[in-house]
């Protein structure tokens, strides 16, 4: 009909896609029936069909539960606010940590930050997997040569931080963040091995745990944060949704095993004690970041339990029996198992364990109790405790109620041990430990040794000239630990930490065996007495060690850090009276008996950590002119000088008049610490009548100097148009061998710039802890005492202690010693009215014969009561320059006494340090360190009637000048009963104008004066070879005195001296 539209419906025919789906359904059905058909065809039992059906149903249930878990987790993250509102009045367990705990903050800004970055993190992950990991997998095995990532998609869901807790109480140089991390991601990663048509992958990941992030060290320069360290304190919860062939891993039994294996892999990198360190600043010690010192040690006394559940029933369960309890104690990855107490519901163990605490707060102590049975052990209860509570209390003695059971308590005594960096109280600690061992099973440890195995170099090859597969075995007594194996290299890098508890470190040796991976072929060995570590500064050795029974150049780099385990006697045990059945039980295994008066000091961790830098300000060039004339129309010059600032102190050079290219050639000694961000600043000024003008400034980072040992550079001056400054800075080595003192004094005298103060030969660290039995004021009042310490012209004063006859100061001081043989330490104790309470005078030379150049004891005060003493630690180190030329070294050796072979213990103490990579410097140091003990004697002395003079003459080619070092005189003739006041006068003949005349300072009242002064003459070596050096030894007298002025004379014909090599010897004095 018109106006009527006829609608035609299309025919309903099956499409191609529907047909494919139907065929796939039929194929799956036939595939499922195939096992049934095969069982019937092969005549197998119906049990196999039922077993296969059970496995399939279990796999199906596991897959479905994972799907539901992922779906619910996605919904929870997407609708967090609605879920929170619906559950806000329900249990706290269902609330996030920022709601439950007030000190945990919500960090939505951080989640937005992660969400914005997540796609770019995905791009980086894709490049990492395809460009780095995939080629590594393909090259690892021929069967994996066709391994490829076919799909990499991190998804749209970024990790979410549920809450953040910041810890700032641990130290000022670090920030600790605990991130409560939850990741429910739609990540898809598929892999394929095309050669075997094998496909596998992951689609969906869940990860929940607490991630600790440590920002340390904090430095005073960009980027402020030196490094980021991340790790999980406890194993996180992981759930993976497999695809492809790895679907088989969801079969019941295999799914738990696969998740555990993957979690173990993650734990090997990111769960304590493992951690990931990401350096942000240069020159950081990675060993300290990857394997830092523990926060402390917890000593666990497992004493007893009571009211445990009975698990062993009799007469088919009608009569309750008892249990056979034992305990499993866990601190992180450290697990201890107690002995089994048969048929006892109130067992007594009295066992002691020691566990390393890497992070606190955060790490937990867990104790689980079990009943031992022939088949499966029954669970009796569990308790957990954050070890931060133990650290806070010091000693925690308590009955803990076990959970997840009806009844039961366990009695623990927990003691927090701090780590001391000096061995002053080692003997006292070992005495206390022996008393503890009589009350409990096992003797407590007195120290812990942390070994950081870094690398080895030039290990010998195998017999077939193949590269070895080296691994290391480290043994102390019957304790042995092994490193990983590094394949196919003679210079392996391990970077692994090892830890040993020690009972008496002074008697133990560390045995190191470097072997091939078959454990049969030795690549080298090393035996190191731990007594060497006890004598080292801060109980630390950080250096290369030469391997024995190996190649001539084979060596291994180790860092050994020992710490003494100290329980503070001031801790008061925290005992819960309501839960403790008796006071006598709490004392079992105690290690806090009040100790007697300390025999040695307890210096702070930072005691004697300073380094001494020798700063040479040599010259400058192209300085700008500041002294202009006629309004700047006529360019003038400048009168430059340099100011050096470091460690809060400043020194300055002399002023060089009217010179834009001045030469100062002055040296200064500066004390610095290893705090990051320190600089040595050099500021150049023009000296004016009113205000000095700046000619520019520059700076050098202290950390670089401490690492490189020596810096010799031209530094461009900043904030000016032109100019640069030439400086040389040396970090002096601190040596413990008094045999090197004479050598160091000789080197100092030969390298001393003419316009500088005398170089220091040693550094003296003083720690004044306390005094005892000081006299009372007016017989009845306790004094408010302070102390003054003086060496030469340097004096330090302590704080004034509160009124007490046994005041405690706990203060440290540093003195630079020019010559230990002639200097004295004076200590004066005074009250608030400056009246003397006692004094002490001690020659610094007494330390030269002390063990490790250290005295740590009570010193008796004179001019005081009969029992007045001070407890003090005196620690001296010889200062050795790391940059001594071979010519100067040979000259100093020739000028000394005849050598004798060094003792093995002395030579082994001074292997090249980590920073001494220059072989020339290392060999020079090795020669310098093989010197005799300090002595003033000489077997070649003669009976000259006027005495002798010791002089060194040489011509350093680089400096272009003749140098004479006046060392000393001996046996000067006496013209009267009193000793003379000698000095030396020198002149180069011929010299008609007397311009070459030089003289030394005067030494008072001595016939054996020590000068150690250097004089110089600028001239060519050819001109110097034509001269004679005349030296007159004179007595400083007034013109009215009748004493004889000239004591003797020496004439040295320089044409007979090889000035390029130099000559140093004793000369007989003669009459005029």
């Amino acid at each position: 009909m018109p106006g009527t539209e006829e609608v035609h419906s299309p025919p309903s025919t099956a499409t191609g896609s529907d047909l494919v789906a139907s065929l796939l359904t039929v194929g799956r059905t036939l595939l499922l029936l195939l096992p049934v058909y095969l069982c019937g065809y092969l005549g197998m039992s119906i049990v196999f069909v039922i077993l296969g059906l059970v496995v399939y149903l279990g796999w199906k249930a596991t897959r479905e539960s994972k799907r539901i878990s992922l779906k619910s987790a996605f919904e929870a993250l997407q609708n967090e606010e609605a879920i929170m509102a619906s559950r806000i009045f329900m249990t706290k367990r269902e609330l996030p940590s920022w709601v439950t705990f007030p000190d945990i903050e919500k960090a939505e800004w951080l989640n937005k930050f992660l969400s914005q970055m997540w796609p770019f993190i995905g791009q980086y992950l894709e490049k990492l997997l395809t460009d780095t990991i995939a080629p590594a997998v393909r090259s690892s095995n021929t069967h994996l040569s066709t391994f490829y990532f076919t799909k990499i998609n991190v998804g749209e869901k970024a990790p979410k931080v549920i809450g953040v807790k910041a810890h700032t109480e641990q130290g000022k140089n670090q920030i600790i963040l605990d991130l409560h991390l939850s990741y429910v991601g739609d990540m898809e990663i598929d892999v394929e091995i095309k050669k075997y048509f094998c496909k596998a992958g992951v689609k969906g990941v869940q990860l929940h745990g607490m991630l600790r992030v440590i920002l340390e060290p904090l430095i005073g320069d960009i980027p402020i944060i030196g490094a980021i360290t991340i790790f999980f304190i406890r194993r996180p919860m992981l759930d993976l949704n497999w695809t492809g062939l790895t679907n088989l891993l969801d079969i019941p039994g295999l799914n738990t095993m696969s998740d555990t294996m993957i979690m173990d892999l993650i734990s090997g990198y990111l769960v304590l004690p493992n951690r990931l360190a990401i350096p942000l600043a240069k020159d950081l010690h990675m060993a300290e970041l990857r394997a830092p010192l523990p926060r402390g040690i917890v000593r666990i006394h497992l004493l007893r339990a009571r009211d445990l559940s009975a698990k062993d029933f009799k007469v088919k369960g009608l009569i309750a029996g008892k249990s056979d309890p034992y305990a499993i104690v866990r601190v992180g990855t450290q697990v201890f198992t107690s002995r089994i107490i048969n048929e006892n519901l109130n067992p007594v163990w009295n066992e002691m364990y020691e566990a390393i605490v890497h992070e606190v707060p955060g790490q937990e102590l867990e104790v689980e109790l079990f009943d031992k049975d022939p088949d499966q052990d029954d669970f009796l209860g569990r308790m957990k405790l954050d070890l931060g509570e133990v650290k806070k209390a010091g000693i925690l003695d308590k009955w803990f109620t076990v959970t997840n059971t009806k009844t039961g308590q366990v009695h623990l005594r927990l003691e927090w041990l701090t780590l001391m960096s000096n061995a002053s109280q080692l003997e006292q600690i070992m005495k206390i430990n022996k008393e503890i061992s009589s009350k409990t099973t096992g003797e407590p440890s007195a120290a812990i040794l942390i070994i950081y195995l870094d690398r080895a170099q030039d290990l010998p090859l195998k017999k077939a000239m193949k590269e070895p597969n080296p691994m290391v075995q480290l043994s102390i007594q019957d304790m042995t630990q092994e490193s990983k194996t590094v394949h196919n290299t003679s210079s392996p890098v391990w970077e692994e930490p090892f830890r040993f508890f020690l009972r008496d470190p002074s008697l133990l040796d560390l045995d190191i065996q470097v072997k091939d991976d078959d454990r049969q072929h030795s690549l080298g060995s090393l035996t190191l007495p731990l007594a060497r570590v006890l004598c080292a500064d801060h109980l630390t050795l950080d250096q290369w060690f030469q391997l024995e029974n190996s190649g001539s150049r084979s060596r291994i780099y180790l860092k050994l850090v020992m710490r003494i385990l100290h329980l503070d006697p001031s801790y008061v045990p925290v005992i819960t009276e309501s839960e403790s059945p008796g006071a006598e039980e709490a004392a079992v295994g105690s290690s806090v008996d009040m100790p007697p008066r300390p025999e040695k000091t307890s210096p702070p961790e930072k005691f004697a950590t300073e380094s001494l830098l020798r700063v040479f300000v040599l010259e400058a060039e192209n300085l700008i002119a500041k002294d202009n004339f006629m309004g700047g129309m006529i360019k003038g010059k400048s009168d430059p000088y340099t100011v050096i600032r470091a460690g809060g102190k400043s020194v300055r050079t002399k002023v060089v008049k009217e010179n834009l290219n001045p030469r100062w050639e002055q040296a200064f000694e500066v004390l610095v610490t290893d705090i990051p961000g320190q600089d040595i600043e050099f500021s150049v000024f023009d000296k004016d009548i009113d205000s000095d003008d700046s000619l520019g400034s520059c700076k050098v980072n202290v950390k670089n100097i401490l690492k490189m040992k020596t810096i010799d550079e031209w530094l461009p001056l900043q904030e000016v148009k032109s100019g640069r400054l030439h400086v040389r800075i040396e970090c002096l080595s601190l040596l413990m061998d008094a045999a090197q003192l004479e050598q160091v004094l000789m080197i100092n005298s030969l390298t001393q710039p003419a316009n500088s103060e005398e170089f220091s030969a040693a550094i003296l660290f003083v720690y004044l802890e306390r005094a005892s039995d000081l006299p009372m004021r007016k017989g009845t009042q306790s004094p408010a005492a302070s102390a003054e310490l003086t060496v030469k012209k340097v004096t330090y004063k302590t704080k004034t202690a509160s009124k007490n006859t046994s005041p405690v100061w706990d203060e440290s001081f540093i003195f630079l010693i020019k010559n230990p043989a002639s200097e004295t330490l004076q200590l004066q104790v005074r009250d608030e009215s400056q009246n003397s309470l006692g004094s002490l005078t001690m020659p610094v030379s007494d330390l030269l014969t002390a063990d490790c150049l250290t005295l740590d004891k009570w010193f008796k005060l004179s001019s005081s009561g009969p029992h007045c003493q001070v407890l003090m630690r005196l620690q001296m180190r010889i200062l050795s320059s790391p940059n001594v030329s071979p010519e100067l070294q040979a000259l100093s050796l020739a000028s000394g006494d005849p050598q004798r072979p060094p003792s093995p213990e002395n030579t082994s103490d001074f292997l090249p340090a980590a920073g001494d990579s220059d072989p020339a410097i290392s060999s020079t140091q090795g020669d310098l360190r093989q010197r005799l003990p300090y002595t003033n004697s000489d077997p070649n002395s003669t009976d000259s009637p006027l005495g002798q003079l010791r002089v060194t003459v040489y011509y350093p080619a680089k400096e272009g000048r003749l140098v004479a070092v006046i060392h000393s005189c001996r046996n000067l003739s006496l013209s009267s009963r009193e000793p003379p006041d000698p000095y030396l006068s020198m002149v180069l003949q011929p010299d008609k104008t007397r311009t070459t005349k030089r003289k030394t300072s005067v030494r008072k009242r001595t016939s054996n004066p020590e000068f150690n002064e250097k004089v110089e003459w600028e001239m060519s070596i050819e001109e110097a070879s034509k001269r004679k050096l005349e030296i007159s030894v004179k007595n400083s007298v007034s013109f009215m005195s009748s004493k004889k002025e000239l004591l003797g004379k020496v004439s040295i014909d320089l044409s007979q001296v090889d000035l390029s090599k130099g000559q140093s010897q004793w000369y007989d004095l003669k009459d005029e």
Side-chain angles (χ1 to χ4, degrees):
M1 291 179 63
T4 304
E5 295 182 0
E6 187 175 351
V7 179
H8 298 279
S9 60
S12 58
T13 58
T15 63
S17 59
D18 294 338
L19 182 60
V20 171
S22 301
L23 290 175
L24 286 174
T25 302
V26 172
R28 289 195 191 99
T29 304
L30 293 175
L31 189 63
L32 290 173
L33 293 174
L34 180 62
V36 180
Y37 170 77
L38 289 175
C39 285
Y41 180 78
L42 297 174
M44 299 174 66
S45 172
I46 192 64
V47 175
F48 290 98
V49 177
I50 297 173
L51 183 62
L53 184 62
V54 169
V55 170
Y56 172 76
L57 292 176
W59 172 81
K60 195 76 174 177
T62 302
R63 297 283 300 166
E64 184 65 17
S65 65
K66 284 192 174 184
R67 187 188 67 79
I68 295 173
S69 175
L70 277 172
K71 183 179 178 181
S72 61
F74 279 135
E75 292 176 352
L77 286 176
Q78 290 173 351
N79 306 291
E80 182 181 9
E81 292 186 4
I83 293 175
M84 289 285 77
S86 64
R87 297 185 178 182
I88 197 67
F89 296 108
M90 297 177 70
T91 63
K92 286 187 176 181
R93 206 169 184 178
E94 297 176 346
L95 298 177
S97 55
W98 58 268
V99 176
T100 308
F101 304 101
D103 56 347
I104 296 179
E105 303 173 5
K106 191 175 182 182
E108 280 304 313
W109 64 270
L110 184 57
N111 292 323
K112 293 177 181 178
F113 178 78
L114 288 173
S115 179
Q116 195 78 6
M117 286 185 62
W118 190 242
F120 302 96
I121 295 174
Q123 294 176 16
Y124 168 75
L125 181 62
E126 183 176 359
K127 292 179 181 178
L128 178 67
L129 292 175
T130 56
D131 299 343
T132 304
I133 295 180
V137 172
R138 287 194 292 268
S139 61
S140 64
N141 194 301
T142 55
H143 297 290
L144 301 176
S145 59
T146 57
F147 175 90
Y148 291 93
F149 286 97
T150 58
K151 185 176 183 179
I152 300 173
N153 180 18
V154 297
E156 298 179 357
K157 306 297 181 181
K160 197 163 187 179
V161 179
I162 305 301
V164 178
K165 181 177 181 179
H167 303 274
T168 57
E169 67 276 6
Q170 296 298 319
K172 294 184 178 180
N173 67 331
Q174 65 175 199
I175 298 174
I176 299 177
L177 301 175
D178 285 339
L179 307 182
H180 295 259
L181 193 66
S182 179
Y183 175 53
V184 183
D186 50 352
M187 177 184 292
E188 287 187 69
I189 299 178
D190 293 337
V191 299
E192 181 179 2
I193 304 176
K194 296 182 178 180
K195 182 178 180 180
Y196 301 103
F197 304 100
C198 178
K199 295 182 179 181
V202 172
K203 185 177 181 180
V205 178
Q206 286 195 70
L207 181 70
H208 306 279
M210 187 176 73
L211 184 71
R212 173 156 290 186
V213 180
I214 301 180
L215 311 177
E216 72 168 338
L218 302 180
I219 58 179
D221 202 352
I222 300 297
I224 306 300
I225 299 169
I228 300 175
T229 305
I230 60 176
F231 53 88
F232 288 98
I233 293 182
R234 291 175 291 275
R235 290 165 65 105
M237 189 279 287
L238 176 69
D239 192 7
L240 299 173
N241 191 26
W242 300 105
T243 62
L245 186 64
T246 47
N247 264 327
L248 296 176
L249 295 178
D250 282 331
I251 294 176
L254 285 180
N255 62 337
T256 304
M257 186 184 304
S258 63
D259 290 350
T260 302
M261 291 175 61
I262 293 172
M263 198 62 252
D264 288 341
L265 290 174
I266 296 175
S267 300
Y269 289 95
L270 278 177
V271 179
L272 276 180
N274 305 296
R275 57 187 73 203
L276 176 64
I278 306 171
L280 301 180
K282 297 180 179 179
D283 305 323
L284 294 176
H285 204 309
M286 293 306 296
E288 297 177 359
L289 294 175
R290 292 173 180 156
L293 289 176
R295 302 288 183 183
I297 305 296
V298 60
R299 185 172 288 160
I300 306 164
H301 296 272
L302 176 65
L303 302 179
R304 58 176 59 202
R306 65 184 180 191
D307 301 332
L308 299 181
S309 301
K311 294 292 183 178
D312 297 337
F313 293 94
K314 300 178 180 179
V315 194
K316 297 183 179 182
L318 297 177
I319 302 176
K322 295 187 177 181
S323 293
D324 306 319
Y326 69 94
I328 296 179
V329 180
R330 292 187 180 91
V331 176
T333 58
Q334 305 161 89
V335 180
F336 311 95
T337 303
S338 74
R339 70 181 189 274
I340 300 169
I341 308 296
N342 292 318
E343 298 185 356
N344 198 326
L345 299 181
N346 300 287
V348 177
W349 288 289
N350 282 340
E351 295 185 10
M352 184 270 299
Y353 316 105
E354 291 168 333
I356 299 171
V357 183
H358 297 281
E359 288 297 326
V360 61
Q363 272 195 281
E364 292 181 336
L365 165 69
E366 181 181 12
V367 179
E368 291 182 319
L369 302 178
F370 292 92
D371 166 42
K372 186 65 177 177
D373 282 333
D375 46 5
Q376 184 176 0
D377 297 347
D378 298 317
F379 181 69
L380 296 178
R382 173 190 295 112
M383 64 79 56
K384 287 186 178 181
L385 177 70
D386 192 304
L387 291 171
E389 296 185 28
V390 183
K391 181 181 179 182
K392 183 177 180 180
I395 301 171
L396 194 60
D397 193 328
K398 186 177 179 181
W399 283 91
F400 296 90
T401 301
V402 295
T403 59
N404 301 329
T405 188
K406 294 181 179 179
T407 179
Q409 289 182 316
V410 60
H411 185 191
L412 301 177
R413 181 184 180 88
L414 308 173
E415 300 169 350
W416 183 263
L417 306 177
T418 56
L419 307 181
M420 294 176 56
S421 60
N422 65 83
S424 59
Q425 299 191 34
L426 178 59
E427 294 181 4
Q428 180 181 346
I429 290 172
M430 288 193 296
K431 290 180 181 177
I432 296 175
N433 287 350
K434 289 180 180 178
E435 297 177 3
I436 302 173
S437 62
S438 63
K439 304 176 184 178
T440 185
T441 58
E443 182 179 341
S445 301
I448 184 174
L449 178 67
I450 298 100
I451 304 170
Y452 188 78
L453 174 64
D454 194 335
R455 64 189 66 214
Q457 284 185 355
D458 299 321
L459 296 179
L461 301 178
K462 294 182 180 180
K463 292 182 179 179
M465 300 303 292
K466 294 182 179 179
E467 294 283 355
N469 302 318
M471 53 80 62
V472 179
Q473 292 177 338
L474 303 98
S475 301
I476 297 178
Q477 283 188 325
D478 56 347
M479 300 176 291
T480 299
Q481 300 183 39
E482 291 189 355
S483 74
K484 64 184 178 183
T485 300
V486 182
H487 295 278
N488 300 321
T489 178
S490 60
S491 296
V493 177
W494 293 285
E495 294 183 341
E496 285 187 81
F498 302 90
R499 301 167 182 90
F500 292 90
F501 282 105
L502 311 173
R503 294 178 181 174
D504 188 353
S506 61
L507 303 178
L508 301 176
D509 293 336
L510 170 65
D511 180 65
I512 296 176
Q513 299 289 333
V514 184
K515 296 182 178 181
D516 200 23
D517 57 351
D518 59 4
R519 307 302 198 272
Q520 301 297 323
H521 179 59
S522 176
L523 302 175
S525 62
L526 172 68
T527 299
L528 185 67
L530 296 185
R532 277 186 58 188
V533 186
L534 286 172
C535 287
D537 288 340
H538 311 295
L539 307 184
T540 301
L541 289 178
D542 188 3
Q543 63 184 63
W544 287 99
F545 294 88
Q546 183 70 35
L547 287 174
E548 302 169 355
N549 306 316
S550 187
S552 58
R553 300 179 60 185
S554 300
R555 58 180 187 165
I556 189 169
Y557 193 88
L558 301 171
K559 181 176 182 181
L560 297 93
V561 180
M562 187 184 296
R563 289 295 180 262
I564 309 303
L565 306 183
H566 178 248
L567 178 62
D568 193 336
S570 63
Y571 286 148
V572 177
V574 177
I575 304 176
T576 53
E577 297 295 339
S578 59
E579 296 182 346
S580 57
E584 71 280 356
E585 295 177 359
V588 176
S590 173
S591 58
V592 293
D593 299 331
M594 188 60 65
R597 186 181 77 160
E599 295 300 322
K600 294 185 178 181
T601 61
S602 300
E605 183 77 19
K606 293 295 183 180
F607 174 69
T609 57
E610 293 80 2
S611 299
L612 185 67
L613 303 183
R614 194 167 283 167
V615 182
F616 295 82
V617 182
L618 303 176
E619 56 187 318
E621 64 180 21
N622 298 329
L623 299 181
I624 59 176
K626 287 290 186 178
D627 298 337
N628 299 324
F629 302 97
M630 299 181 65
M633 297 178 61
I634 301 177
K635 293 273 185 181
K637 295 188 177 181
S638 294
D639 306 321
Y641 68 92
T642 301
V643 176
I644 303 100
R645 297 183 180 90
K649 297 182 180 180
S650 63
V651 291
R652 55 178 286 180
T653 67
K654 64 182 179 180
V655 178
V656 179
K657 293 289 185 179
E658 299 182 355
N659 199 324
L660 299 182
N661 299 286
R663 292 180 65 89
W664 292 286
E665 294 188 347
Q666 289 183 260
F668 306 90
E669 293 177 333
V670 178
L671 282 167
V672 296
T673 61
D674 60 352
I675 298 175
Q678 284 193 107
D679 294 317
I680 298 180
E681 297 182 4
F682 300 89
S683 302
V684 185
F685 294 94
D686 167 42
K687 184 65 178 178
D688 283 333
I689 298 176
D690 47 4
S691 177
D692 297 346
D693 300 317
S694 174
L695 301 179
S697 63
C698 54
K699 61 183 180 180
V700 179
N701 186 264
V702 170
K703 194 79 173 180
N704 293 338
I705 305 171
L706 297 179
K707 179 182 178 182
M708 300 175 64
K709 302 300 181 184
T710 301
I711 288 180
D712 191 340
E713 295 180 359
W714 281 92
L715 304 175
L717 296 174
Q718 306 296 323
E719 302 177 357
V720 289
K721 294 180 179 180
S722 67
R724 59 178 187 163
L725 182 67
H726 186 194
V727 300
R728 186 173 81 249
I729 308 175
E730 300 175 351
C731 177
L732 302 183
S733 302
L734 305 184
L735 312 178
M736 290 188 293
D737 188 7
Q740 301 178 51
L741 177 58
E742 185 181 1
Q743 182 86 15
V744 168
L745 289 170
M746 176 65 65
I747 295 292
N748 286 353
S749 62
L750 294 174
T751 57
Q752 177 85 43
N755 300 314
S756 303
E757 292 185 3
E758 183 181 354
F759 282 162
S760 301
I763 184 170
L764 177 61
F765 301 99
V766 181
Y767 174 67
L768 182 60
E769 182 170 301
R770 64 184 69 204
S772 177
D773 297 324
L774 295 180
M776 307 283 283
R777 290 180 64 246
K778 300 179 181 179
T780 58
Q781 299 179 2
S782 298
S786 62
E788 286 184 1
L789 298 98
T790 302
V791 175
K792 280 194 169 181
K793 298 180 180 180
V794 180
T795 299
Y796 296 107
K797 185 176 180 179
T798 69
K799 64 186 177 184
T800 300
S802 57
K803 293 185 177 182
N804 197 328
T805 57
S806 298
V808 176
W809 293 294
D810 284 333
E811 294 191 46
S812 304
F813 309 96
I814 302 175
F815 295 93
L816 296 180
I817 308 298
K818 308 300 181 185
N819 189 343
S822 60
E823 298 186 31
T824 301
L825 171 67
Q826 295 180 332
L827 183 144
Q828 187 77 38
V829 182
R830 304 178 187 275
D831 62 13
E832 62 270 34
S833 302
Q834 297 303 304
N835 298 318
S836 177
L837 299 174
S839 62
L840 170 69
T841 300
M842 194 196 81
V844 178
S845 58
D846 288 357
L847 290 166
L848 294 174
T849 56
D851 290 340
C852 300
L853 304 185
T854 301
L855 291 175
D856 192 339
K857 63 177 184 177
W858 288 94
F859 294 85
K860 190 176 186 312
L861 296 176
S862 59
S863 305
S864 186
H867 303 292
C868 294
Q869 294 177 309
V870 290
L871 182 59
M872 183 167 54
R873 180 182 178 88
L874 304 175
Q875 179 175 307
M876 188 169 69
R877 294 294 180 262
I878 307 300
L879 299 171
S880 174
S881 171
N883 192 21
V884 181
S885 65
E887 297 85 0
L888 197 60
Q889 174 65 28
L891 183 61
S892 64
L893 288 171
S895 65
D897 302 325
Q899 295 189 40
R900 70 181 178 190
S903 60
E905 59 269 26
N906 288 340
T907 56
S908 63
D909 282 345
F910 298 106
L911 295 171
D916 300 340
S917 56
D918 188 343
I921 293 177
S922 298
S923 62
T924 299
Q925 285 183 332
D927 293 338
L928 177 61
R929 288 164 178 167
Q930 295 180 10
R931 285 295 300 151
L932 286 179
Y934 179 76
T935 176
N936 275 331
S937 63
D938 181 25
N940 298 323
S941 62
T942 62
D943 297 330
S944 174
L946 300 180
Q948 289 182 308
L949 169 66
R950 185 181 178 189
V951 181
T952 297
V953 182
Y954 73 110
Y955 192 96
K958 293 182 179 180
E959 299 183 16
R961 62 189 68 189
L962 177 66
V963 177
V965 180
I966 311 302
H967 299 291
S968 58
C969 298
R970 64 184 176 193
N971 303 326
L972 295 181
S973 61
L974 301 177
S975 57
S976 64
R977 293 183 178 179
E978 295 182 356
D981 298 334
Y983 72 96
L984 273 65
S985 176
M986 292 149 282
V987 65
L988 288 174
Q989 296 291 3
D991 183 10
K992 297 181 180 179
T993 60
R994 310 288 285 180
T995 56
T996 62
K997 187 175 181 181
R998 307 282 191 273
K999 69 176 184 178
T1000 68
S1001 56
V1002 178
R1003 297 293 185 264
K1004 293 292 186 180
R1005 301 176 63 81
T1006 176
S1007 299
N1008 299 285
E1010 293 276 348
F1011 295 99
N1012 289 323
E1013 295 186 27
K1014 182 170 71 172
V1015 291
E1016 300 173 343
W1017 295 271
E1018 291 191 8
M1019 60 179 62
S1020 66
I1021 190 170
E1022 292 79 10
E1023 183 182 356
S1025 300
K1026 299 175 182 178
R1027 301 289 190 105
K1028 288 185 178 181
L1029 175 60
E1030 290 188 357
I1031 305 175
S1032 300
V1033 182
K1034 298 182 178 181
N1035 183 19
S1036 179
V1037 295
S1038 64
F1039 69 94
M1040 299 180 60
S1041 174
S1042 60
K1043 294 182 180 179
K1044 182 180 178 181
E1045 181 181 3
L1046 183 65
L1047 301 178
K1049 199 176 226 182
V1050 169
S1051 179
I1052 304 174
D1053 187 353
L1054 300 182
S1055 64
Q1056 304 299 315
V1057 178
D1058 187 351
L1059 294 176
S1060 61
K1061 295 183 178 179
Q1063 176 177 295
S1064 181
Q1065 67 181 60
W1066 288 94
Y1067 295 90
D1068 293 338
L1069 295 178
K1070 299 179 180 179
D1071 280 325
E1072 191 171 2

